[in-house]
Amino acid sequence: MLQAAPRMTLVLGGARSGKSAHAEALIEACPAPWTYLATAQAWDDEMRERIGLHRARRGEGWVTRDVPVDLSAAIRATRGPVLVDCLTLWLTNLMMAEADLAAAFEDLAAACAAAAGPLVLVSNEVGLGIVPDNALARAFRDAAGRLHQRLAREADRVVFLVAGLPMVVKPAGGPA
């Protein structure tokens, strides 16, 4: 059974783990309208198809804003229930732009802390597999891990999705 979203929930999981659908259900437990902050960029046909499937799954009541880089400002400018999907695509966009990751992470954490909520953040947990064979992939994996740790400290609840099943890692009101 889904619980209504607390002020801030971090939803982590692997590819196709069900994290986006779970996050959408958390937000839809709140009164509409709901804002979907999308970080994906449609660089190719396959990504355009993925974006289309996500959009088609969301029904009435959703307002979608594309925010590939300036996520913190979008969170600050949005009122009501907000879903961010996904942080690892946002991280990719930042790395491609050679942004200052530490500064971006702190700015995002500050924006999340100031959000009235409910705010649900979705991200891929990429650090559970083998060590990547190249420096860029290792840098990405390490940066994602640092981002997740930073936001998990701020989050009221952290949920890890495995095979469509949510496991609450940090319950609302749990340890910081």
Side-chain angles (χ1 to χ4, degrees), residues 90-96 98-107 139-140 143-144 146-147:
W90 174 70
L91 173 58
T92 298
N93 298 336
L94 291 178
M95 289 181 77
M96 291 178 69
E98 299 181 1
D100 178 342
L101 298 182
F105 292 178
E106 286 307 310
D107 190 39
F140 177 82
R146 285 190 297 275
L147 174 62

Side-chain angles (χ1 to χ4, degrees), residues 78-137:
T78 305
R79 299 292 172 256
V82 177
L83 171 60
V84 174
D85 199 355
C86 88
L87 294 175
T88 44
L89 288 173
W90 174 70
L91 173 58
T92 298
N93 298 336
L94 291 178
M95 289 181 77
M96 291 178 69
E98 299 181 1
D100 178 342
L101 298 182
F105 292 178
E106 286 307 310
D107 190 39
L108 178 62
C112 291
L119 171 64
V120 178
L121 307 164
V122 176
S123 197
N124 291 289
E125 182 51 70
V126 297
L128 296 174
I130 61 172
V131 176
D133 69 347
N134 67 77
L136 179 59

